[in-house]
mmCIF file of all heavy atoms in Angstrom:
data_model
loop_
_atom_site.group_PDB
_atom_site.id
_atom_site.type_symbol
_atom_site.label_atom_id
_atom_site.label_comp_id
_atom_site.label_asym_id
_atom_site.label_seq_id
_atom_site.Cartn_x
_atom_site.Cartn_y
_atom_site.Cartn_z
ATOM 1 N N ARG R 453 33.820 -18.649 78.434
ATOM 2 C CA ARG R 453 32.332 -18.812 78.245
ATOM 3 C C ARG R 453 31.651 -17.510 78.336
ATOM 4 O O ARG R 453 32.028 -16.614 79.110
ATOM 5 C CB ARG R 453 31.846 -19.793 79.340
ATOM 6 C CG ARG R 453 30.689 -20.582 78.862
ATOM 7 C CD ARG R 453 30.375 -21.675 79.831
ATOM 8 N NE ARG R 453 29.714 -21.136 80.999
ATOM 9 C CZ ARG R 453 29.335 -21.913 82.012
ATOM 10 N NH1 ARG R 453 29.556 -23.199 82.017
ATOM 11 N NH2 ARG R 453 28.684 -21.395 83.100
ATOM 12 N N GLY R 454 30.584 -17.344 77.618
ATOM 13 C CA GLY R 454 29.861 -16.111 77.708
ATOM 14 C C GLY R 454 30.392 -14.989 76.844
ATOM 15 O O GLY R 454 30.045 -13.833 77.031
ATOM 16 N N THR R 455 31.258 -15.319 75.942
ATOM 17 C CA THR R 455 31.768 -14.264 74.983
ATOM 18 C C THR R 455 31.614 -14.866 73.531
ATOM 19 O O THR R 455 31.522 -16.061 73.407
ATOM 20 C CB THR R 455 33.243 -13.936 75.161
ATOM 21 O OG1 THR R 455 33.966 -15.126 75.069
ATOM 22 C CG2 THR R 455 33.470 -13.319 76.540
ATOM 23 N N PHE R 456 31.598 -14.020 72.553
ATOM 24 C CA PHE R 456 31.557 -14.468 71.219
ATOM 25 C C PHE R 456 32.924 -14.992 70.855
ATOM 26 O O PHE R 456 33.932 -14.656 71.447
ATOM 27 C CB PHE R 456 31.133 -13.333 70.303
ATOM 28 C CG PHE R 456 29.735 -12.891 70.507
ATOM 29 C CD1 PHE R 456 29.478 -11.570 70.886
ATOM 30 C CD2 PHE R 456 28.640 -13.809 70.352
ATOM 31 C CE1 PHE R 456 28.135 -11.162 71.051
ATOM 32 C CE2 PHE R 456 27.369 -13.358 70.561
ATOM 33 C CZ PHE R 456 27.080 -12.064 70.939
ATOM 34 N N ASN R 457 32.962 -15.738 69.815
ATOM 35 C CA ASN R 457 34.256 -16.281 69.349
ATOM 36 C C ASN R 457 35.026 -15.243 68.603
ATOM 37 O O ASN R 457 34.620 -14.076 68.503
ATOM 38 C CB ASN R 457 34.022 -17.517 68.447
ATOM 39 C CG ASN R 457 33.744 -18.708 69.236
ATOM 40 O OD1 ASN R 457 34.255 -18.892 70.343
ATOM 41 N ND2 ASN R 457 32.873 -19.600 68.736
ATOM 42 N N GLN R 458 36.172 -15.687 68.058
ATOM 43 C CA GLN R 458 37.093 -14.744 67.435
ATOM 44 C C GLN R 458 36.427 -13.976 66.280
ATOM 45 O O GLN R 458 35.730 -14.565 65.481
ATOM 46 C CB GLN R 458 38.279 -15.547 66.813
ATOM 47 C CG GLN R 458 39.231 -16.058 67.903
ATOM 48 C CD GLN R 458 39.985 -14.955 68.544
ATOM 49 O OE1 GLN R 458 40.618 -14.143 67.892
ATOM 50 N NE2 GLN R 458 39.871 -14.903 69.867
ATOM 51 N N PRO R 459 36.606 -12.708 66.224
ATOM 52 C CA PRO R 459 36.000 -11.943 65.157
ATOM 53 C C PRO R 459 36.751 -11.988 63.862
ATOM 54 O O PRO R 459 37.913 -12.402 63.793
ATOM 55 C CB PRO R 459 36.017 -10.505 65.713
ATOM 56 C CG PRO R 459 37.252 -10.456 66.597
ATOM 57 C CD PRO R 459 37.387 -11.858 67.122
ATOM 58 N N GLY R 460 36.088 -11.543 62.779
ATOM 59 C CA GLY R 460 36.802 -11.335 61.504
ATOM 60 C C GLY R 460 37.306 -9.892 61.560
ATOM 61 O O GLY R 460 37.709 -9.399 62.577
ATOM 62 N N ASP R 461 37.373 -9.230 60.413
ATOM 63 C CA ASP R 461 37.834 -7.834 60.465
ATOM 64 C C ASP R 461 36.785 -6.930 59.820
ATOM 65 O O ASP R 461 35.839 -7.326 59.264
ATOM 66 C CB ASP R 461 39.164 -7.706 59.854
ATOM 67 C CG ASP R 461 39.195 -8.042 58.359
ATOM 68 O OD1 ASP R 461 38.494 -7.273 57.586
ATOM 69 O OD2 ASP R 461 39.746 -9.075 57.990
ATOM 70 N N VAL R 462 37.087 -5.606 60.037
ATOM 71 C CA VAL R 462 36.107 -4.585 59.620
ATOM 72 C C VAL R 462 35.802 -4.687 58.118
ATOM 73 O O VAL R 462 34.664 -4.582 57.713
ATOM 74 C CB VAL R 462 36.630 -3.201 59.983
ATOM 75 C CG1 VAL R 462 35.682 -2.095 59.405
ATOM 76 C CG2 VAL R 462 36.743 -3.016 61.494
ATOM 77 N N ALA R 463 36.814 -4.992 57.324
ATOM 78 C CA ALA R 463 36.618 -5.034 55.895
ATOM 79 C C ALA R 463 35.572 -6.077 55.493
ATOM 80 O O ALA R 463 34.757 -5.794 54.593
ATOM 81 C CB ALA R 463 37.945 -5.258 55.167
ATOM 82 N N THR R 464 35.557 -7.245 56.122
ATOM 83 C CA THR R 464 34.602 -8.262 55.776
ATOM 84 C C THR R 464 33.199 -7.803 56.193
ATOM 85 O O THR R 464 32.208 -8.104 55.496
ATOM 86 C CB THR R 464 34.929 -9.619 56.372
ATOM 87 O OG1 THR R 464 34.987 -9.502 57.793
ATOM 88 C CG2 THR R 464 36.218 -10.157 55.876
ATOM 89 N N VAL R 465 33.102 -7.152 57.324
ATOM 90 C CA VAL R 465 31.770 -6.663 57.809
ATOM 91 C C VAL R 465 31.239 -5.644 56.797
ATOM 92 O O VAL R 465 30.068 -5.707 56.372
ATOM 93 C CB VAL R 465 31.850 -6.006 59.187
ATOM 94 C CG1 VAL R 465 30.521 -5.423 59.584
ATOM 95 C CG2 VAL R 465 32.339 -7.028 60.212
ATOM 96 N N LEU R 466 32.123 -4.749 56.348
ATOM 97 C CA LEU R 466 31.656 -3.718 55.403
ATOM 98 C C LEU R 466 31.211 -4.343 54.089
ATOM 99 O O LEU R 466 30.296 -3.871 53.409
ATOM 100 C CB LEU R 466 32.751 -2.714 55.211
ATOM 101 C CG LEU R 466 33.178 -1.839 56.472
ATOM 102 C CD1 LEU R 466 34.198 -0.838 56.116
ATOM 103 C CD2 LEU R 466 31.906 -1.153 57.019
ATOM 104 N N ARG R 467 31.956 -5.360 53.641
ATOM 105 C CA ARG R 467 31.651 -6.041 52.395
ATOM 106 C C ARG R 467 30.195 -6.597 52.464
ATOM 107 O O ARG R 467 29.419 -6.521 51.511
ATOM 108 C CB ARG R 467 32.654 -7.134 52.133
ATOM 109 C CG ARG R 467 32.549 -7.826 50.852
ATOM 110 C CD ARG R 467 33.099 -6.972 49.729
ATOM 111 N NE ARG R 467 32.462 -7.346 48.450
ATOM 112 C CZ ARG R 467 32.167 -6.459 47.452
ATOM 113 N NH1 ARG R 467 32.500 -5.272 47.557
ATOM 114 N NH2 ARG R 467 31.587 -6.894 46.394
ATOM 115 N N VAL R 468 29.888 -7.228 53.582
ATOM 116 C CA VAL R 468 28.545 -7.824 53.795
ATOM 117 C C VAL R 468 27.507 -6.762 53.787
ATOM 118 O O VAL R 468 26.495 -6.896 53.062
ATOM 119 C CB VAL R 468 28.492 -8.647 55.108
ATOM 120 C CG1 VAL R 468 27.093 -8.962 55.493
ATOM 121 C CG2 VAL R 468 29.377 -9.859 55.035
#
Side-chain angles (χ1 to χ4, degrees):
Chain R
R453 211 169 76 180
T455 57
F456 294 120
N457 280 327
Q458 288 293 305
D461 63 67
V462 174
T464 59
V465 174
L466 296 182
R467 187 74 207 148
V468 167

